[in-house]
Amino acid sequence: MISSILHSSGMTWVDLIELWIRETPGQMTGKRHQEKAKQLLDLIWGNEDMLALFSRTESFSERVAGSAAQVAQAKVDVLRENTRFFRKYDSTVNIDDMDFNEAVDEVRSKSDPNCCYSLRKSLGS
């Protein structure tokens, strides 16, 4: 039934989902938008059958890796912009000359818990 409505209206599933999210008034960063996004993520990641279905699509692994990289980059950007330690260095600095003791406290205090968890997990601690 929904498929026939979409077909007759010329909309795709992507169009419908985007319309559903955007129909909520306000900025895309608002609480209601986040609730809708969570529902979509729960549908995809919280349901083993759906996850198995999505994982068989051709571009799934590349999209997951790309999304994870974007999330990590955004978290690093926030740290770089909001910590004294990371702002004072650029790519030309010799990493062996850096004292990371100061950075550890700043990362703990400025980043979100998921970022710290991800860093610990990627460092094997």
Side-chain angles (χ1 to χ4, degrees):
M1 180 173 144
I2 293 175
S3 293
S4 63
I5 294 170
L6 288 174
H7 180 72
S8 66
S9 69
M11 291 179 66
T12 66
W13 282 102
V14 173
D15 295 333
L16 178 65
I17 292 168
E18 187 173 351
L19 180 65
W20 174 67
I21 291 175
R22 290 187 183 275
E23 78 175 347
T24 301
Q27 295 184 6
M28 289 292 283
T29 56
K31 184 173 174 52
R32 294 276 299 139
H33 289 99
Q34 290 173 2
E35 289 170 0
K36 288 182 174 185
K38 182 184 180 315
Q39 289 174 359
L40 287 171
L41 289 174
D42 288 346
L43 172 67
I44 296 168
W45 297 109
N47 182 315
E48 291 297 321
D49 293 335
M50 290 295 227
L51 189 55
L53 175 66
F54 290 132
S55 68
R56 288 191 295 272
T57 62
E58 187 177 309
S59 61
F60 182 78
S61 59
E62 292 86 9
R63 287 179 183 219
V64 169
S67 295
Q70 287 177 339
V71 168
Q73 182 63 53
K75 291 181 182 299
V76 169
D77 288 345
V78 167
L79 285 175
R80 188 171 31 83
E81 293 166 6
N82 295 307
T83 59
R84 285 182 309 124
F85 182 83
F86 290 107
R87 268 200 315 256
K88 61 185 173 183
Y89 296 102
D90 62 30
S91 61
T92 63
V93 172
N94 184 350
I95 200 160
D96 294 330
D97 295 337
M98 296 174 72
D99 179 10
F100 285 97
N101 291 325
E102 177 187 351
V104 171
D105 289 334
E106 272 198 300
V107 168
R108 283 187 181 140
S109 67
K110 303 280 183 176
S111 67
D112 66 66
N114 291 331
C115 183
C116 288
Y117 173 79
S118 299
L119 287 171
R120 283 193 305 270
K121 190 168 183 166
S122 66
L123 296 173
S125 16

